[in-house]
């Protein structure tokens, strides 16, 4: 299949199509290349699709994905906003009016997370998911989760809102914890930390997880990047 795609790219470069026909073909080729040949190969054709009049929302969302996979998070956010502006019903992953996206914090196994600004000027974190929900309304299954999260103890980021954008994109809004993630915390100290500090942090993490389990919930994605050392006296 990769060999077929290589030949397709070669033949495509030799073509002399123009306008929307060329743009649509570039869009299809980019979509095929992204999972098989990687973001660099796909990016060129998403850009050509955009330049030659293909579906702007799809092209911009494709560029969002290629930038996200490449780790160019600032660029990725710009493309996502452009895709949502061109076609909000397909590409606005959460309510951009209530939660203005400021930056992409990262993209884990579940989906990308965003730093957002609230209407009152505060900040929060919006977690989105790779898979949309087009057939089943997820709100019924999310309600029990919301009830559990109302009992979450101190030390775990509080859930602020559960939403489903355009009846297909579920997302979760949680409070933003000021501070460094555990990996950054370690790197800022030269890659080392005193044994007593490591033990203290480990005990705090275990305590938070134990309290979380006690109310019937699990974290499901514990990693150094998902543990934050809060700033200030209450950190």
């Amino acid at each position: 299949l990769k060999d077929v795609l290589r030949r397709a790219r070669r033949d495509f470069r030799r073509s002399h199509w123009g306008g929307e026909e060329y743009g649509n073909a570039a869009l299809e080729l980019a979509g095929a290349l992204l999972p098989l040949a990687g973001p660099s190969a796909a990016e060129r054709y998403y850009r050509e699709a955009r330049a030659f009049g293909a579906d702007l929302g799809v092209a911009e969302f494709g560029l969002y994905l290629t930038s996200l996979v490449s780790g160019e998070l600032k660029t990725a956010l710009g493309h996502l906003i452009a895709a949502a502006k061109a076609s909000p019903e397909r590409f606005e992953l959460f309510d951009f009016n209530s939660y203005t996206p400021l930056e992409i914090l990262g993209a884990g196994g579940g989906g990308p997370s965003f730093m957002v600004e609230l209407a009152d000027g505060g900040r929060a974190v919006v977690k989105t998911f790779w898979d949309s929900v087009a057939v089943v309304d997820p709100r019924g299954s999310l309600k029990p989760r919301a009830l559990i999260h109302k009992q979450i103890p101190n030390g775990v980021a509080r859930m602020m809102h559960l939403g489903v954008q355009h009846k297909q994109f579920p997302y979760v809004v949680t409070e933003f914890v000021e501070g460094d993630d555990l990996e950054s915390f370690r790197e800022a100290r030269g890659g080392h930390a005193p044994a007593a500090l490591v033990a203290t942090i480990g005990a705090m993490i275990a305590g938070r997880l134990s309290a979380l389990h006690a109310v019937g919930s699990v974290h499901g994605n514990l990693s150094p990047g998902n543990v934050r050392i809060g700033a200030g006296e209450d950190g």
Side-chain angles (χ1 to χ4, degrees), residues 78-155:
H79 287 304
L80 177 62
I81 291 173
K85 184 177 180 180
S87 185
E89 71 281 358
R90 290 185 293 169
F91 302 116
E92 189 178 52
L93 301 182
F94 53 93
D95 185 352
F96 283 7
N97 290 323
S98 298
Y99 307 106
T100 305
L102 299 177
E103 63 177 293
I104 299 176
L105 299 174
S113 295
F114 299 81
M115 171 82 74
V116 299
E117 184 176 28
L118 306 175
D120 62 4
R123 296 193 175 187
V125 175
V126 172
K127 174 73 173 179
T128 62
F129 302 91
W130 293 121
D131 297 325
S132 62
V133 181
V135 179
V136 179
D137 187 342
R139 282 173 289 191
S141 62
L142 291 175
K143 285 181 180 178
R145 303 289 296 178
L147 292 174
I148 287 174
H149 278 272
K150 287 182 179 179
Q151 307 173 58
I152 281 181
N154 291 331

Side-chain angles (χ1 to χ4, degrees), residues 57-75:
V58 175
E60 287 288 358
F61 194 77
L63 289 169
Y64 156 70
L65 292 176
T66 60
S67 300
L68 195 62
V69 173
S70 301
E72 300 171 359
L73 302 184
K74 186 175 181 180
T75 301

